[in-house]
Amino acid sequence: MNYQTILQEIHTEILPLLGEGKVADYIPALAKADPSDFAMSITCNDGRVYSVGASEQRFSIQSISKVYGFTLALKAYRDKLYKRVWREPSGDPFNSLVQLEYEEGIPRNPFINAGAIVISDTLISKHKENSLNEVLTLIQESAEMEDVSISEEVFTSEMDHSFRNRSLANLMKSFGNLDNDVQSVLEHYFAQCSVMMNTQELSRSMLYLAHDGTDPISKKTFLTPPQAKRINAVMLTCGHYDASGDFAFRVGLPGKSGVGGGIVAVVPRVMSIAVYSPALNAQGNSLVGTKALELFTTKTGLSIF
Amino acid sequence: MNYQTILQEIHTEILPLLGEGKVADYIPALAKADPSDFAMSITCNDGRVYSVGASEQRFSIQSISKVYGFTLALKAYRDKLYKRVWREPSGDPFNSLVQLEYEEGIPRNPFINAGAIVISDTLISKHKENSLNEVLTLIQESAEMEDVSISEEVFTSEMDHSFRNRSLANLMKSFGNLDNDVQSVLEHYFAQCSVMMNTQELSRSMLYLAHDGTDPISKKTFLTPPQAKRINAVMLTCGHYDASGDFAFRVGLPGKSGVGGGIVAVVPRVMSIAVYSPALNAQGNSLVGTKALELFTTKTGLSIF
Amino acid sequence: MNYQTILQEIHTEILPLLGEGKVADYIPALAKADPSDFAMSITCNDGRVYSVGASEQRFSIQSISKVYGFTLALKAYRDKLYKRVWREPSGDPFNSLVQLEYEEGIPRNPFINAGAIVISDTLISKHKENSLNEVLTLIQESAEMEDVSISEEVFTSEMDHSFRNRSLANLMKSFGNLDNDVQSVLEHYFAQCSVMMNTQELSRSMLYLAHDGTDPISKKTFLTPPQAKRINAVMLTCGHYDASGDFAFRVGLPGKSGVGGGIVAVVPRVMSIAVYSPALNAQGNSLVGTKALELFTTKTGLSIF
Amino acid sequence: MNYQTILQEIHTEILPLLGEGKVADYIPALAKADPSDFAMSITCNDGRVYSVGASEQRFSIQSISKVYGFTLALKAYRDKLYKRVWREPSGDPFNSLVQLEYEEGIPRNPFINAGAIVISDTLISKHKENSLNEVLTLIQESAEMEDVSISEEVFTSEMDHSFRNRSLANLMKSFGNLDNDVQSVLEHYFAQCSVMMNTQELSRSMLYLAHDGTDPISKKTFLTPPQAKRINAVMLTCGHYDASGDFAFRVGLPGKSGVGGGIVAVVPRVMSIAVYSPALNAQGNSLVGTKALELFTTKTGLSIF
């Protein structure tokens, strides 16, 4: 199969959709994104790389960073992690407090905000003041980037508009499910959200999830095979907030989206994919990005189902 | 890989668990089941069949019947079906009214009770008094059974203890999401739940979902390839009520459980599996059945992730 | 104080509002009501009666009948009644299932639909096939009416549109909080809702609640003094669904509204008031009726606060 | 009626209950209270005062301070206040986030924590750095105390255990319903909760609510008559969290409780009552205090119903 041709077909087919959806505007740093931007990259387990669009343009990875946090926490705590965060779909929007209150401060999964905040807390407990560095190192090593940077503008903007996440964090703290102080935990969380990457780097970075926890190119091992599979499983059932079922239904791949417009997806044993387009659909996921991935699995048959 | 040996290993390993869990006791017909019963069958796309335990003993398929209902409704209504039932995980127990009320009578997916009741309604609208026959014919043809029978005892028992499902049905009726009268819809629903099958028949029957909608042995086509994939996707995200994430995490296959103790699972492009053990875990799924499937994917590596 | 003058002032002041609000239209029998109708009657503990508007025109009392049901159940079961229905405001619309599910089938109070359905069930358990007669006799005796009639048209219409109440009843049945069959309980419930009364009769009838349980004119005792006080307390906190706080705030009297457009209110130790105007506000209470009562307590100072 | 005799009877009758219930222990400053403490005071509109028990022993008034906050905010903003906080019973525990999220950051009433936090915010907007002084002045003037003090120990303890209230405040801030910064608002809120008063002072202070907004002794006017009535109405429907219906039912007076063990109640046009006993019932209200008030209205007939 000629993946480059397929990417170009997809690029052509999504062009008419580029005006639809709405760029995230809750912080100015995101609102400035150009809704007509688009990029898509594939990195195969055998090292081949294909890209289309602005695949070198970096954007803030936002919730995609939750995959890295989950990876490090799973490595550090193994199954003990699930005492503090579950792995069930939430059936609710990504930042709902309702379920969190009924379930006494235990978030449904690591991919809703509450879950990622707890994950951040566990990383601080484990790595102290190096917790953020651990995330940046994982990103740098898995993507083989020379260096990884954080957008100060995005970070500051997020901190200034963090009331709802602060509400979630304080609620969990009141239930005893945060060990560190709320401010430190939120700083770690928003810093990892503010990491800047492009689709080439993202698709390269996620390859360890397509290859049982070990990067097939660098041979570095980030997780055990069962751990990698389980992150894929949780991405499939929970990776897109309350549109997770729809994404599984339409795309049929484990994936994780970010409000910055990026989505990553994994074809187990074959490849990793990253796509970028900042205008979001009603559920807060990249509208064109979701469509591009749907076209990709339809054209290639590379769904897991 | 020698599947028969693997099944025997699994049988040995689950033996110590056979006392755990609790047989469904909300109706007498189910409460009589022997908690030490166990059976597991595999039917491969190439026609090979492997079984262990009481694989010829029939039991009521209960919610596994929702797969057949979904199949027929998807065939009849295609994407229009999703106006009346969604495809998102519910994040709530299988018979919760809360979400249904907030979401104005549109069930989250076809695999919670409310969703299956709406599906039953659509089948009655389409096939009138033949609606149940259509389900039985699908089962008979896909399983190549000589005839399919319903347990009158289970059916009567279900109808006598149907208050909560009757509550769900009336709520949806009040929102305008049932076209037929509540009594007829519930009769169809409980009749299909009362179908008796064994693990050999179940694993044979689900083969069309492992082979893009067409039975690889009989060559009969039940669904288009995209439709088959999407049923698998919905089984993965929604097939086990609010333990769907856990099942995806531990087993890593699309599957559907029934309160009678059966579970079916699909390895796309490879095989279909059925397991039976009537004692249930806290989420209402077969405790030993779930464990047996987890052992199977661990031993064979046949997870989709 | 000249009550007749006050009633006439109120009549003049509410005239401009008579076009506002919306007549209940979930059943045809109610939808036919004339939104410009208005009536208001006062019966004082000393026997004086004052009326304005169409005070002889009967309408279906609907949820006002819950006061009679509560009266009879309290008399029959005393404090044991509160095991099956609480006396707390619901904070939710009048027919919500959410709270009922979380609270395992125990309704919040006797004035939401679920509570009145349980009350109906207790009356059937106590009085068997005479349960409805008991309610009619209470109405007839307390209002000193010659005979009390039920609108067959309203009753039939209610039964035909009873899906949500049927859902509530089945849910409570599933939790074991209904002893009789759902159909009988709903028939009792809708029959008492379909009783036809006018404002003169209603204000006369409620006098026992303004006089410690004993009608000051006929000297008949319907409740003990503590029981009468407690019905008043529950009317104040729960009598108007999720507008109960607003009614207490604006009117400052115990009261109970019906979707047919009637409202009764009690001035303890002084009088009983009934008002009628069929157009409802957003919370399902008579818009002009609520305003008329607010004007009355403002003009007379006869609030309990 | 000899109120002193009645108070002594009540004191005798509640003695056997003094071991029941549980002192609030979420902060050390409250946990130290002696569960066998009891005091009760009455101040009549004509100036007579009656007390029993340790009526000069001060305790932190906690949520009773919400009455003073509501008084000042109502005076400052009149009906505009209700755009930011409603006056409906919540039907939920006192610090629930669920309802607040569904209702987009508008608290149900001024007597749940979220409502009192909004009230604090409005007072800061109005009085800037004098906001707390305004509350202290109202208390000092209405109680005719020489000076009013705040327990630094209680205040510090509250601030250290404020995660859930901080969660509520941040949630409202995210919905745009807090104008000032969260920290300042919480400091005001916890400071007013930490005011120390005894039952004599409390019963004296609340007299303006028993006399149409004007203290009958000092002749100082704190509210208009309609405003005073409405605070009474909201106390009746909402003053005791999700036991408000039960309090209305058993006691039959407008009242407000605090987790420190105090309760105030108002007999409109007659008197104000304060009671203290630190052990709480399951709903977080003084167990013996509630019982003492119930005995009082039973013995005197001074219920509003």
Side-chain angles (χ1 to χ4, degrees):
Chain A
M1 210 169 316
N2 189 327
Y3 291 135
Q4 191 61 43
T5 305
I6 288 172
L7 290 189
Q8 281 157 355
E9 283 175 24
I10 292 170
H11 198 177
T12 305
E13 292 175 41
I14 58 88
L15 278 178
L17 295 173
L18 280 174
E20 296 181 22
K22 193 164 177 309
V23 170
D25 58 1
Y26 70 98
I27 57 170
L30 291 178
K32 292 187 298 192
D34 183 345
S36 66
D37 278 350
F38 176 76
M40 187 168 187
S41 296
I42 290 170
T43 304
C44 297
N45 282 11
D46 60 13
R48 285 174 297 157
V49 179
Y50 306 91
S51 285
V52 71
S55 65
E56 295 190 355
Q57 180 185 324
R58 287 178 174 163
F59 51 90
S60 63
I61 64 172
Q62 297 291 339
S63 290
I64 298 174
S65 68
K66 293 169 180 170
V67 180
Y68 302 117
F70 190 14
T71 295
L72 290 172
L74 197 51
K75 192 170 176 177
Y77 294 92
R78 295 161 185 266
D79 279 2
K80 284 182 206 155
L81 184 64
Y82 302 113
K83 289 179 189 163
R84 295 192 49 198
V85 55
W86 296 348
R87 55 222 185 191
E88 284 300 326
S90 67
D92 260 316
F94 63 102
N95 50 12
S96 169
L97 283 104
V98 171
Q99 207 164 45
L100 194 58
E101 182 172 23
Y102 277 124
E103 297 176 348
E104 303 196 343
I106 310 294
R108 273 281 165 133
N109 63 66
F111 292 147
I112 53 173
N113 288 13
I117 289 168
V118 164
I119 295 276
S120 298
D121 181 62
T122 68
L123 295 181
I124 294 173
S125 294
K126 176 80 181 179
H127 301 292
K128 311 298 177 200
E129 64 281 4
N130 284 322
S131 70
L132 183 62
N133 273 342
E134 288 289 318
V135 176
L136 300 181
T137 301
L138 169 59
I139 292 172
Q140 185 268 319
E141 291 192 352
S142 62
E144 296 200 305
M145 291 165 77
E146 295 201 359
D147 68 319
V148 183
S149 68
I150 284 171
S151 163
E152 278 299 323
E153 184 193 0
V154 171
F155 174 74
T156 307
S157 218
E158 296 280 8
M159 289 298 286
D160 286 350
H161 294 78
S162 60
F163 300 116
R164 185 173 272 267
N165 286 305
R166 208 169 280 275
S167 179
L168 290 167
N170 276 288
L171 181 60
M172 293 189 289
K173 185 86 179 168
S174 79
F175 279 115
N177 199 19
L178 281 195
D179 292 333
N180 300 285
D181 68 280
V182 166
Q183 184 68 12
S184 305
V185 174
L186 289 179
E187 282 176 5
H188 173 107
Y189 173 65
F190 285 124
Q192 72 177 36
C193 287
S194 306
V195 167
M196 301 297 284
M197 295 175 78
N198 60 38
T199 57
Q200 290 183 26
E201 292 157 351
L202 276 168
S203 74
R204 175 69 183 84
S205 168
M206 290 289 161
L207 216 54
Y208 68 93
L209 291 177
H211 194 254
D212 281 342
T214 297
D215 185 294
I217 300 169
S218 72
K219 313 297 182 197
K220 282 183 186 147
T221 291
F222 299 100
L223 290 172
T224 67
Q227 288 172 336
K229 281 181 185 180
R230 281 159 183 189
I231 287 187
N232 288 341
V234 180
M235 284 205 290
L236 192 95
T237 54
C238 316
H240 304 271
Y241 309 124
D242 61 345
S244 297
D246 193 60
F247 190 87
F249 183 92
R250 288 171 56 194
V251 175
L253 292 176
K256 183 73 205 84
S257 66
V259 78
I263 309 179
V264 293
V266 169
V267 186
R269 279 164 294 281
V270 181
M271 64 170 59
S272 165
I273 313 170
V275 62
Y276 170 64
S277 181
L280 308 179
N281 61 22
Q283 287 82 29
N285 302 312
S286 172
L287 186 151
V288 164
T290 306
K291 184 64 186 172
L293 287 167
E294 183 182 357
L295 288 169
F296 184 79
T297 53
T298 303
K299 287 172 187 290
T300 60
L302 285 172
S303 141
I304 60 172
F305 297 114
Chain B
M1 210 169 318
N2 189 326
Y3 290 134
Q4 190 62 43
T5 306
I6 289 171
L7 289 188
Q8 281 156 356
E9 284 176 23
I10 292 170
H11 198 177
T12 305
E13 291 175 41
I14 57 88
L15 278 178
L17 295 173
L18 280 174
E20 296 183 21
K22 194 164 175 310
V23 170
D25 59 1
Y26 70 99
I27 58 170
L30 291 178
K32 292 187 298 190
D34 182 345
S36 66
D37 278 350
F38 176 75
M40 188 168 186
S41 298
I42 291 171
T43 305
C44 296
N45 281 12
D46 60 12
R48 285 174 299 156
V49 179
Y50 306 91
S51 286
V52 71
S55 66
E56 296 191 355
Q57 180 185 323
R58 287 179 174 162
F59 50 90
S60 63
I61 65 172
Q62 297 291 338
S63 289
I64 297 174
S65 69
K66 293 169 181 171
V67 181
Y68 302 116
F70 190 14
T71 295
L72 290 173
L74 198 52
K75 194 170 174 176
Y77 294 93
R78 295 161 185 265
D79 278 3
K80 283 181 206 155
L81 183 64
Y82 302 113
K83 289 178 188 163
R84 295 192 48 198
V85 55
W86 296 348
R87 55 219 187 194
E88 283 301 326
S90 67
D92 260 315
F94 63 102
N95 49 13
S96 170
L97 283 104
V98 170
Q99 208 165 43
L100 194 59
E101 182 172 21
Y102 277 123
E103 297 175 351
E104 304 196 342
I106 309 294
R108 273 282 165 134
N109 64 66
F111 292 147
I112 52 174
N113 289 14
I117 289 168
V118 164
I119 294 277
S120 298
D121 181 62
T122 69
L123 295 180
I124 295 174
S125 294
K126 175 81 180 177
H127 300 292
K128 311 297 178 200
E129 64 280 3
N130 284 322
S131 70
L132 182 62
N133 273 343
E134 288 288 320
V135 176
L136 300 182
T137 300
L138 169 59
I139 292 172
Q140 186 268 320
E141 291 192 350
S142 62
E144 295 200 307
M145 291 165 77
E146 295 201 358
D147 68 319
V148 183
S149 68
I150 285 170
S151 164
E152 278 299 323
E153 184 192 0
V154 171
F155 174 74
T156 307
S157 217
E158 296 280 9
M159 289 298 287
D160 287 350
H161 295 78
S162 60
F163 301 117
R164 184 172 273 268
N165 285 304
R166 208 169 280 274
S167 179
L168 290 167
N170 275 288
L171 181 60
M172 292 189 290
K173 185 87 180 166
S174 80
F175 279 116
N177 199 19
L178 282 195
D179 292 333
N180 300 284
D181 67 280
V182 166
Q183 184 68 11
S184 305
V185 173
L186 290 179
E187 282 176 5
H188 174 107
Y189 173 66
F190 285 125
Q192 72 176 36
C193 286
S194 306
V195 167
M196 303 296 285
M197 295 175 79
N198 60 38
T199 57
Q200 290 183 25
E201 291 158 351
L202 275 168
S203 74
R204 174 69 182 85
S205 169
M206 289 288 160
L207 217 54
Y208 68 92
L209 290 177
H211 194 253
D212 281 341
T214 297
D215 186 292
I217 300 169
S218 73
K219 315 297 182 197
K220 282 185 186 145
T221 292
F222 298 99
L223 289 173
T224 68
Q227 288 172 335
K229 281 181 186 179
R230 279 154 186 193
I231 286 186
N232 288 340
V234 181
M235 284 205 290
L236 193 95
T237 53
C238 316
H240 304 271
Y241 310 123
D242 61 345
S244 296
D246 193 61
F247 190 88
F249 183 91
R250 288 170 56 196
V251 175
L253 292 177
K256 182 74 205 83
S257 66
V259 79
I263 308 179
V264 292
V266 168
V267 186
R269 281 165 292 283
V270 181
M271 65 170 60
S272 165
I273 313 170
V275 61
Y276 170 65
S277 181
L280 308 178
N281 60 22
Q283 287 83 30
N285 302 312
S286 173
L287 186 151
V288 165
T290 305
K291 184 63 186 174
L293 287 166
E294 184 181 355
L295 288 170
F296 184 80
T297 53
T298 303
K299 286 172 188 291
T300 60
L302 284 172
S303 142
I304 60 172
F305 296 114
Chain C
M1 209 167 318
N2 188 327
Y3 291 134
Q4 190 62 42
T5 306
I6 288 172
L7 289 188
Q8 281 156 357
E9 284 175 24
I10 292 171
H11 198 177
T12 304
E13 292 176 41
I14 58 88
L15 277 178
L17 294 174
L18 280 175
E20 296 182 22
K22 194 165 175 309
V23 170
D25 58 1
Y26 70 98
I27 57 170
L30 291 178
K32 292 188 297 191
D34 182 345
S36 66
D37 278 351
F38 176 76
M40 187 167 187
S41 296
I42 290 170
T43 305
C44 297
N45 282 11
D46 60 13
R48 286 174 297 155
V49 179
Y50 306 91
S51 286
V52 71
S55 65
E56 296 191 354
Q57 180 186 323
R58 287 179 174 162
F59 50 90
S60 64
I61 64 172
Q62 297 290 340
S63 290
I64 298 172
S65 68
K66 293 168 181 171
V67 180
Y68 302 117
F70 190 15
T71 296
L72 290 173
L74 197 52
K75 193 171 175 177
Y77 295 93
R78 293 160 186 266
D79 279 3
K80 283 181 206 155
L81 184 65
Y82 302 114
K83 288 178 188 163
R84 294 194 48 199
V85 55
W86 297 347
R87 54 222 187 194
E88 283 300 327
S90 68
D92 261 315
F94 64 103
N95 49 14
S96 170
L97 283 104
V98 170
Q99 208 164 43
L100 194 58
E101 181 172 23
Y102 277 122
E103 296 175 351
E104 304 195 343
I106 309 295
R108 274 282 166 132
N109 64 66
F111 291 148
I112 53 173
N113 289 13
I117 290 169
V118 164
I119 295 277
S120 298
D121 181 62
T122 68
L123 295 180
I124 294 174
S125 294
K126 176 81 180 177
H127 301 291
K128 311 297 178 200
E129 63 281 2
N130 284 323
S131 69
L132 183 62
N133 273 343
E134 289 289 319
V135 176
L136 300 182
T137 301
L138 169 59
I139 291 172
Q140 186 267 321
E141 292 192 349
S142 62
E144 295 199 306
M145 292 165 76
E146 296 201 357
D147 67 319
V148 183
S149 69
I150 285 171
S151 163
E152 279 298 322
E153 183 192 1
V154 171
F155 174 74
T156 307
S157 217
E158 296 280 9
M159 288 298 286
D160 287 349
H161 294 79
S162 60
F163 301 117
R164 185 173 272 268
N165 285 305
R166 209 168 279 274
S167 178
L168 290 167
N170 276 289
L171 181 60
M172 292 189 289
K173 185 86 180 169
S174 80
F175 279 115
N177 199 19
L178 281 196
D179 292 333
N180 300 285
D181 68 280
V182 166
Q183 184 67 12
S184 305
V185 174
L186 290 179
E187 281 175 6
H188 174 108
Y189 173 65
F190 285 125
Q192 73 176 35
C193 286
S194 306
V195 167
M196 302 296 286
M197 296 176 78
N198 61 37
T199 56
Q200 290 183 27
E201 292 158 350
L202 275 168
S203 75
R204 174 69 182 84
S205 169
M206 290 288 161
L207 217 53
Y208 68 92
L209 291 177
H211 194 253
D212 281 340
T214 297
D215 186 293
I217 300 169
S218 71
K219 314 296 182 199
K220 283 185 185 144
T221 291
F222 300 99
L223 291 172
T224 67
Q227 287 171 336
K229 281 181 185 179
R230 280 157 186 191
I231 287 186
N232 287 341
V234 181
M235 283 204 291
L236 193 93
T237 55
C238 316
H240 304 272
Y241 310 122
D242 60 346
S244 296
D246 192 61
F247 191 88
F249 183 92
R250 290 171 55 196
V251 175
L253 292 177
K256 182 74 203 85
S257 66
V259 78
I263 307 179
V264 293
V266 169
V267 186
R269 280 164 292 282
V270 181
M271 65 170 58
S272 165
I273 313 169
V275 62
Y276 170 66
S277 181
L280 308 179
N281 61 21
Q283 287 83 30
N285 302 312
S286 172
L287 187 151
V288 164
T290 306
K291 185 63 187 174
L293 287 166
E294 183 181 356
L295 289 169
F296 183 80
T297 53
T298 304
K299 287 172 187 292
T300 61
L302 284 173
S303 142
I304 60 172
F305 296 112
Chain D
M1 209 170 316
N2 189 326
Y3 292 134
Q4 190 63 42
T5 306
I6 288 172
L7 289 187
Q8 281 157 355
E9 283 175 24
I10 292 171
H11 198 178
T12 305
E13 292 175 40
I14 58 89
L15 277 178
L17 295 174
L18 280 174
E20 296 181 23
K22 193 163 177 308
V23 169
D25 58 1
Y26 71 98
I27 59 171
L30 291 178
K32 292 187 299 191
D34 182 346
S36 66
D37 278 350
F38 175 75
M40 189 168 185
S41 297
I42 290 170
T43 305
C44 296
N45 282 10
D46 60 12
R48 286 174 299 157
V49 179
Y50 307 91
S51 287
V52 72
S55 65
E56 296 191 355
Q57 181 185 323
R58 287 179 174 163
F59 51 89
S60 62
I61 64 172
Q62 297 289 340
S63 290
I64 297 173
S65 69
K66 293 169 181 171
V67 181
Y68 302 117
F70 190 15
T71 296
L72 289 172
L74 198 52
K75 193 170 175 176
Y77 294 93
R78 295 160 185 266
D79 280 1
K80 283 182 206 155
L81 184 64
Y82 302 113
K83 289 180 188 163
R84 296 193 47 197
V85 56
W86 296 348
R87 54 224 186 190
E88 283 300 325
S90 68
D92 261 316
F94 63 102
N95 50 14
S96 170
L97 283 104
V98 170
Q99 207 163 47
L100 194 57
E101 183 173 22
Y102 277 122
E103 297 175 348
E104 305 196 341
I106 309 294
R108 274 280 165 133
N109 64 66
F111 292 147
I112 52 174
N113 288 13
I117 290 168
V118 164
I119 295 278
S120 298
D121 181 62
T122 69
L123 295 180
I124 294 173
S125 294
K126 176 80 180 179
H127 301 291
K128 311 297 178 201
E129 64 281 2
N130 284 323
S131 68
L132 183 61
N133 273 341
E134 289 289 318
V135 176
L136 300 180
T137 301
L138 170 58
I139 292 172
Q140 186 268 320
E141 292 193 350
S142 62
E144 296 200 305
M145 292 165 76
E146 295 200 358
D147 67 320
V148 183
S149 69
I150 284 171
S151 163
E152 278 298 323
E153 183 192 2
V154 171
F155 174 74
T156 307
S157 218
E158 296 280 9
M159 288 299 285
D160 287 349
H161 294 78
S162 60
F163 301 116
R164 183 172 273 267
N165 285 305
R166 209 169 280 275
S167 179
L168 290 167
N170 276 287
L171 180 60
M172 293 189 290
K173 185 87 178 167
S174 79
F175 279 115
N177 199 19
L178 281 195
D179 293 333
N180 300 284
D181 68 280
V182 166
Q183 184 67 11
S184 305
V185 174
L186 290 179
E187 281 175 5
H188 173 107
Y189 173 66
F190 286 124
Q192 74 177 35
C193 287
S194 306
V195 166
M196 302 297 285
M197 295 175 79
N198 60 37
T199 57
Q200 290 183 28
E201 292 158 350
L202 275 168
S203 75
R204 174 69 183 83
S205 169
M206 290 288 160
L207 217 53
Y208 68 93
L209 291 178
H211 194 254
D212 281 340
T214 297
D215 186 293
I217 300 168
S218 72
K219 313 298 181 197
K220 282 185 185 146
T221 291
F222 299 99
L223 290 173
T224 68
Q227 287 172 335
K229 282 181 186 181
R230 281 157 185 191
I231 286 187
N232 288 341
V234 180
M235 283 204 291
L236 193 94
T237 54
C238 316
H240 304 271
Y241 311 123
D242 60 346
S244 297
D246 193 61
F247 191 88
F249 183 92
R250 289 171 57 195
V251 175
L253 292 177
K256 183 75 205 82
S257 66
V259 78
I263 308 179
V264 293
V266 169
V267 186
R269 280 164 293 283
V270 182
M271 65 170 60
S272 165
I273 313 169
V275 62
Y276 169 66
S277 182
L280 309 179
N281 60 21
Q283 287 82 29
N285 302 313
S286 173
L287 187 150
V288 164
T290 305
K291 184 65 186 171
L293 287 166
E294 184 182 355
L295 289 169
F296 184 80
T297 53
T298 304
K299 287 171 187 291
T300 61
L302 284 172
S303 142
I304 60 172
F305 296 113

